[in-house]
Amino acid sequence: MIEFSGDWCGVRDWRTDPTFAMCRALVDGADLASFAGGAFDVRAVVADIQSGAYSRLLLDAIPWGNFPHGDDAREAVHLLHTGEDLANHATGVLGGLCANDSRAAVALVVPFLIPIATDAHHPHRAAALAVLSGPARARHFGVASREELLLHRTDPRRHAPDGYDDYGVEVTGYPAGWSVAAARAAITAETPVLLPLLNDSDPTIRIDAAYALATAADSDHMVRTALATRFTVEHDAMVRAALLLAVAETTRAHAHLPAVGWFRERWQDRTEVPEVRLAAAIGWLCLTDEPAPEDLHEAIDTFATEERAHAMDALPWMYAAAGSGEPGLSRCIRCMLHPERPEPYDDPWAFSL
């Protein structure tokens, strides 16, 4: 039986980790490029992890201690692979690190999570898949504007000259762009084994597979084509909506000119279910800066009920966009179409006299 250490519970100060020396050096003016490719570069470490392999020897060979919360990430991987009862708590720890803007160690986990997620017989495959792409997205919680929703922040047009892209640093001081790049590279390398999950019998698996695949590099549009092809045969309304959002996300990173018209057709199609038309409208708004036409406003006003907005938080994109007690869909609509409206006030400590 494995017992959790104080490190797992977050008692240890992350500033005592070896990486803090690197982060302190950066603050003192060291060139980030001087650390590139070395033992503190998560991109280089992830690239050296053997695809699809797992052994305690391999796990212990990874320099987890070079990254904040690395020991916690290593423990989570071990628990998931062994199918321990505490494995669901392990994925909660990984998701929590990403939510707290500390992704570097979680990016190291991605090559180990993919074999679990793609194993149809593994008891924790759904949990592993759900957190798989967490480190592949940065600063997306609460983001709901046309300009930033579904945006891959490695857009070369947004590249900053200091080597940090526009990601900045994580809460620990680690370069956030390195964590995101490492996770995306691992997902891209394993795209062939992730694509079959779009045909899984479990709708939740199909949704989370689309969410993960949307972060893969897709210069040849293979992922976009697979998502769009699955959309043509998918019958579950929420999965269809997820596939559209995934197509929109990968298209923002890898432009595909016919996509804007394709999304317009989807939200204009009166035979489509409301969830699909709403997802298509959100995707269209993110892929163009054209003014929203009247029929798009009408479709949203008709279908974006409070009940449906809460239900669509089952989609990871909408769940991430939510904030201040406002469902993700509602927040997207307000930010994209009615930016003059104030954000809802949500104070859990407030009370009326």
Side-chain angles (χ1 to χ4, degrees):
M1 179 177 178
I2 296 176
E3 296 181 357
F4 292 129
S5 65
D7 294 352
W8 176 273
C9 300
V11 172
R12 185 184 61 190
D13 189 336
W14 60 264
R15 288 171 293 185
T16 64
D17 286 347
T19 303
F20 185 61
M22 167 187 162
C23 298
R24 182 168 52 199
L26 293 173
V27 170
D28 290 341
D31 184 1
L32 176 63
S34 67
F35 294 97
F40 295 110
D41 185 344
V42 69
R43 301 170 301 176
V45 177
V46 167
D48 285 341
I49 297 175
Q50 185 177 349
S51 174
Y54 175 80
S55 69
R56 191 59 188 258
L57 184 63
L58 174 61
L59 192 68
D60 291 341
I62 305 299
W64 301 99
N66 285 2
F67 304 92
H69 306 290
D71 291 339
D72 295 342
R74 181 195 59 78
E75 192 86 3
V77 170
H78 180 67
L79 287 172
L80 283 165
H81 269 278
T82 57
E84 294 279 348
D85 292 339
L86 291 172
N88 284 329
H89 178 64
T91 55
V93 169
L94 297 175
L97 287 174
C98 291
N100 291 331
D101 194 28
S102 183
R103 296 174 180 80
V106 188
L108 286 173
V109 171
V110 174
F112 295 100
L113 290 179
I114 291 175
I116 300 174
T118 55
D119 181 354
H121 303 292
H122 199 286
H124 300 295
R125 67 173 187 135
L129 182 60
V131 298
L132 177 64
S133 60
R137 294 176 171 89
R139 297 199 305 273
H140 67 294
F141 290 102
V143 172
S145 67
R146 291 181 74 172
E147 293 76 20
E148 293 195 300
L149 185 73
L150 310 179
L151 179 67
H152 278 216
R153 294 179 180 271
T154 50
D155 186 334
R157 294 169 297 179
R158 300 169 63 89
H159 181 73
D162 61 3
Y164 285 92
D165 296 316
D166 69 328
Y167 287 92
V169 295
E170 298 178 0
V171 67
T172 59
Y174 193 81
W178 285 13
S179 301
V180 174
R184 287 186 179 163
I187 291 170
T188 300
E190 295 302 313
T191 294
V193 300
L194 289 168
L195 283 172
L197 295 182
L198 295 176
N199 301 316
D200 195 271
S201 60
D202 185 342
T204 300
I205 294 290
R206 300 200 296 275
I207 288 173
D208 288 337
Y211 191 58
L213 285 163
T215 67
D218 192 36
S219 57
D220 60 359
H221 302 296
M222 179 179 69
V223 171
R224 193 202 67 81
T225 299
L227 293 166
T229 299
R230 178 64 208 184
F231 178 82
T232 63
V233 298
E234 180 60 59
H235 297 293
D236 186 285
M238 207 65 78
V239 179
R240 287 171 65 78
L243 291 166
L244 286 178
L245 291 172
V247 170
E249 183 173 355
T250 191
T251 302
R252 289 208 77 169
H254 308 280
H256 184 69
L257 292 179
V260 174
W262 186 74
F263 273 89
R264 180 189 288 270
E265 292 172 0
R266 301 286 75 73
W267 59 257
Q268 288 181 332
D269 187 350
R270 296 182 180 276
T271 66
E272 276 289 5
V273 295
E275 292 80 2
V276 169
R277 296 184 67 181
L278 289 167
I282 296 298
W284 184 88
L285 287 166
C286 290
L287 293 176
T288 178
D289 56 4
E290 295 180 29
E294 186 60 34
D295 53 349
L296 184 144
H297 280 276
E298 291 176 357
I300 287 177
D301 290 343
T302 300
F303 299 120
T305 63
E306 183 176 357
E307 181 181 4
R308 184 166 288 120
H310 281 287
M312 288 184 70
D313 269 354
L315 300 175
W317 296 268
M318 295 295 98
Y319 179 80
S324 298
E326 188 178 27
L329 177 65
S330 301
R331 189 176 182 87
C332 288
I333 293 169
R334 177 176 58 78
C335 292
M336 294 181 182
L337 299 179
H338 307 287
E340 74 286 352
R341 295 180 182 175
E343 184 168 323
Y345 180 67
D346 182 35
D347 185 355
W349 303 107
F351 59 92
S352 57
L353 297 177

